[in-house]
Amino acid sequence: MKISRRMLLALGLTLPTSGLKTKIFEQNASPFTVGSSMKVISTWPFGIPANARAWQLLQNGSTALDAVEQGVKVTEADPEVTSVGYNGSLDRDGRLTLDACIMDHRGMCGSVAGLEHIMHPISVARAIMERTPHVMLVGSGALDFAISEGFPKENIVTDDAIARWRNWQKSQKAPPLSPENHDTIGMLAIDSSGNLSGACTTSGLSYKLPGRVGDSPLIGPGLYVDNEIGAATATGVGEAIIRVVGSFLIVELMRQGMKPKDACKEAVKRIVNIHPKTHSQLQIGFIALRKDGEIGAFGMRNNEFSYSLTDAKNPNGTVIKPESWLS
Ligand code: GLY
């Protein structure tokens, strides 16, 4: 009889630690201790109030999917966060086009890109996942779908966003690569059943070319969830994250045995390899949540990136500054 890793674990035995090239996990069997405590992580300090909403839901027995959707909706509606949802950054032509995606523990996912006039693109992404045979809708098709599903068409472009855009127009220079110009909220959660889900939402790169899509609505680069292994999400310069399919890469590296932090670091390293001369200009941050609750993160630039953690030990949330490539 073939002895599986799961059988060994059930007997309280373990296999020796394997190198990356050795396949150590049975397919469709989580190698990690499941049923660990609930947890929410999200990108940036502005994840704290979003985590608080997600944590409240998890504590009341909600699924990780509900928690991440409702959590990032807090950020989408927050005018203080000028790179996500309401009061987000405009494109070159002065339009606010939003990108978002969501993925659950079954591997189901939904996504929108270039969506205008809708306060909560994450909920449209979820509706696409649950009420259509598709994964992704873009532009006017996404808006038509949202309206047909009862989402209100609203003016979510603020005077403040227009003033920022006009200011940029005066200089016509590319904006600095500060978090204000690139940040996304990516959120990962594990619920009381040990199931994982993730959500990601942004207005994308400030003053982008009309039609530009970054990593955030893309399942694979911006977000990936595999309920047997773990989940990852990204923030930063979407083009660089797409080139390495960052979040999927991190989950696959965790499958091969890498710790969440090391997997995030490897994804950053691959971006460095592709951009040997320009990586210092790339603001990048990855976060990862393994099935057993272990978390990790890694950034690119000089300790610039930070993320928010909320769990039983940190019920009010705490901001963590991970290591970065350039420090
Ligand atoms: N990560 C957000 C974007 O590049 O659009």
Side-chain angles (χ1 to χ4, degrees):
M1 181 176 66
K2 189 168 169 278
I3 309 258
S4 71
R5 183 175 177 83
R6 185 149 54 173
M7 290 161 72
L8 285 170
L9 285 171
L11 292 167
L13 303 170
T14 52
L15 290 170
T17 308
S18 303
L20 280 180
K21 289 194 175 129
T22 311
K23 185 172 183 299
I24 55 172
F25 304 144
E26 290 287 301
Q27 210 170 7
N28 299 324
S30 178
F32 305 112
T33 308
V34 183
S36 54
S37 54
M38 299 180 291
K39 199 165 291 236
V40 189
I41 56 173
S42 60
T43 52
W44 302 108
F46 61 58
I48 290 285
N51 281 11
R53 176 71 183 128
W55 182 243
Q56 181 189 40
L57 286 163
L58 289 177
Q59 283 189 304
N60 290 336
S62 293
T63 62
L65 181 64
D66 284 337
V68 295
E69 181 197 1
Q70 296 302 321
V72 301
K73 279 175 75 173
V74 171
T75 319
E76 286 181 336
D78 184 349
E80 297 295 316
V81 183
T82 57
S83 55
V84 179
Y86 179 69
N87 195 30
S89 288
L90 309 184
D91 72 7
R92 185 197 64 184
D93 294 351
R95 291 165 72 168
L96 177 57
T97 58
L98 303 175
D99 299 337
C101 71
I102 194 160
M103 188 164 188
D104 74 8
H105 67 285
R106 303 164 304 160
M108 293 294 108
C109 45
S111 160
V112 280
L115 178 66
E116 292 183 85
H117 313 302
I118 300 289
M119 179 72 89
H120 291 300
I122 197 65
S123 298
V124 181
R126 182 169 177 177
I128 292 165
M129 174 175 92
E130 293 181 337
R131 297 182 213 148
T132 81
H134 308 307
V135 166
M136 187 170 196
L137 293 176
V138 304
S140 60
L143 178 60
D144 290 347
F145 169 76
I147 291 167
S148 75
E149 288 291 318
F151 288 89
K153 187 173 175 184
E154 297 177 77
N155 179 18
I156 55 171
V157 178
T158 64
D159 291 346
D160 179 49
I162 292 168
R164 296 195 310 269
W165 173 67
R166 291 228 163 95
N167 206 31
W168 168 77
Q169 277 188 315
K170 278 185 210 150
S171 67
Q172 284 286 345
K173 282 188 193 143
L177 295 173
S178 68
E180 287 72 39
N181 288 321
H182 270 287
D183 57 44
T184 298
I185 183 150
M187 178 181 283
L188 309 171
I190 187 161
D191 63 26
S192 58
S193 301
N195 285 327
L196 294 161
S197 286
C200 191
T201 177
T202 186
S203 56
L205 177 64
S206 305
Y207 323 121
K208 61 195 175 186
L209 282 180
R212 179 264 187 190
V213 174
D215 61 303
S216 301
L218 301 181
I219 298 294
L223 174 69
Y224 200 73
V225 176
D226 181 324
N227 205 45
E228 303 292 347
I229 303 300
T233 189
T235 179
V237 182
E239 286 74 5
I241 295 164
I242 292 169
R243 289 183 187 113
V244 300
V245 198
S247 298
F248 180 74
L249 171 64
I250 290 164
V251 172
E252 289 307 300
L253 292 170
M254 291 195 292
R255 187 192 309 282
Q256 291 170 24
M258 265 196 189
K259 286 178 167 294
K261 177 193 150 188
D262 296 337
C264 291
K265 183 175 181 181
E266 175 64 21
V268 171
K269 184 178 169 200
R270 294 205 191 180
I271 290 174
V272 173
N273 290 345
I274 292 176
H275 308 83
K277 296 195 175 137
T278 54
H279 63 272
S280 65
Q281 293 161 39
L282 300 175
Q283 190 272 108
I284 302 283
F286 289 113
I287 60 173
L289 171 59
R290 207 170 59 182
K291 179 74 173 173
D292 61 355
E294 179 160 333
I295 59 173
F298 207 81
M300 177 69 85
R301 279 155 53 104
N302 302 330
N303 299 314
E304 190 177 66
F305 174 56
S306 55
Y307 67 104
S308 299
L309 160 68
T310 306
D311 61 7
K313 282 193 197 143
N314 304 279
N316 297 319
T318 184
V319 173
I320 300 172
K321 203 170 255 303
E323 287 174 38
S324 54
W325 190 265
L326 302 165
S327 51

